[in-house]
Amino acid sequence: MTDAGGTERTLVLLRHAKAEPPGDDSDADRRLTARGDADAAAAGAWLARHGLLPDVVFCSTARRTRETWHGVALGMTGSPDETGPAGSSPAVRYEPAVYAAGPAELLALVRSAPPEATTVLLVAHNPGVSLLSAFLDPERADQQGMRTADVVVHRTRFPWADLRQADITARHTARG
């Protein structure tokens, strides 16, 4: 069912930025590399230039995704307080289940977004985030999946609670 009011909604999918290789610490504690920090800030700047400031952010609790979100927020605003140009802050929800979530679990999370939110950002991991993108727009999704710090923008007129299809309208990658 599409929104009778014709409200366009934007789902921004972001794979976390480049992290340190696995080591002795737990996988969830891996930090971003210097390149990952730079790529996250570049993704945030790209989002700001395209007017894609989120109302709601769903973010994995893994260190690399939290650091990615922080870098994106700095890149969007130039300040560490995660506020947008009008001074409004997105509602940020750190969700432990995102860490190992598949596309069905990620979709369920996005469907829980407040109906009034027009832009939702999901900061997540592969393979789940790439598979979600492919589920929402199988024809335009990159068959190779999302690389680190890749941004894929989906637009839809479905209410969040009914989301089942969303066209890919833009992409950003920090590397060529």
Side-chain angles (χ1 to χ4, degrees), residues 22-111:
D24 294 333
D25 292 333
S26 76
D27 184 66
D29 290 329
R30 290 171 44 211
R31 299 175 173 266
L32 292 185
T33 63
R35 186 182 97 194
D37 287 330
D39 289 351
W46 185 87
L47 291 169
R49 277 194 311 277
H50 290 86
L52 296 167
L53 301 176
D55 301 305
V56 176
V57 176
F58 295 114
C59 184
S60 164
T61 55
R63 183 178 196 151
R64 61 190 175 274
T65 49
R66 289 181 288 119
E67 288 180 355
T68 297
W69 163 239
H70 183 76
V72 166
L74 286 171
M76 284 192 305
T77 65
S79 66
D81 64 359
E82 302 175 1
T83 58
S88 62
S89 296
V92 181
R93 287 180 37 192
Y94 295 100
E95 297 283 344
V98 171
Y99 178 72
E105 293 88 1
L106 294 175
L107 181 58
L109 182 63
V110 171
R111 285 177 174 163

Side-chain angles (χ1 to χ4, degrees), residues 128-153:
V129 71
S130 290
L131 293 171
L132 175 60
S133 184
F135 170 78
L136 293 171
D137 189 347
E139 292 182 21
R140 292 181 196 89
D142 186 336
Q143 298 307 308
Q144 302 300 312
M146 295 172 65
R147 299 184 321 185
T148 55
D150 272 0
V151 176
V152 179
V153 179

